[in-house]
Amino acid sequence: MGAAHRLLGTRLGEASVFAAADLFDGVAITDDREAVAVGRAHGLEVHGTVWLLARACFKGKLNDVAAGNIVDALRATGMRLPCSGSTFGSFVRRNIGSCRCVPIWRTTP
């Protein structure tokens, strides 16, 4: 739980996510840039919501239209994301599709 202890302030949500990722050798998901930097600096694998949705598409759990609908729903709550629902697929192919975590982008029918 080293990274969780080092996350300063009252960010109990991020600290809890880091603790769980550390304990269970998992991936931490947060869209807080400072928290991402802290987690990665302490050896955790940390990604954001768009990566999580892209990973779900890659694994066949969602298609890009369903993921785009989730993006639009999250943006409607005021969440800031780097793409809209209609640009989700192209954003992922351009920015995430070649990384080691989502090696090949595919759309499920």
Side-chain angles (χ1 to χ4, degrees):
M1 285 197 263
H5 287 271
R6 289 174 183 84
L7 189 59
L8 302 175
T10 58
R11 295 179 177 174
L12 297 178
E14 283 87 2
S16 297
V17 168
F18 288 176
D22 192 33
L23 283 170
F24 298 106
D25 196 29
V27 176
I29 303 296
T30 181
D31 290 303
D32 181 309
R33 288 184 190 191
E34 187 178 345
V36 169
V38 170
R40 287 181 178 163
H42 292 91
L44 293 175
E45 184 176 353
V46 185
H47 298 285
T49 299
V50 172
W51 177 89
L52 181 65
L53 292 171
R55 187 70 177 155
C57 290
F58 173 73
K59 290 186 158 237
K61 308 283 184 187
L62 292 174
N63 62 33
D64 61 342
V65 173
N69 290 338
I70 293 170
V71 167
D72 284 339
L74 291 170
R75 288 173 57 106
T77 69
M79 186 174 188
R80 291 180 291 178
L81 293 171
C83 61
S84 66
S86 64
T87 62
F88 172 79
S90 61
F91 177 85
V92 169
R93 284 188 290 278
R94 192 172 53 254
N95 295 286
I96 299 176
S98 62
C99 83
R100 66 178 177 81
C101 303
V102 186
I104 301 169
W105 177 257
R106 69 180 176 131
T107 354
T108 48

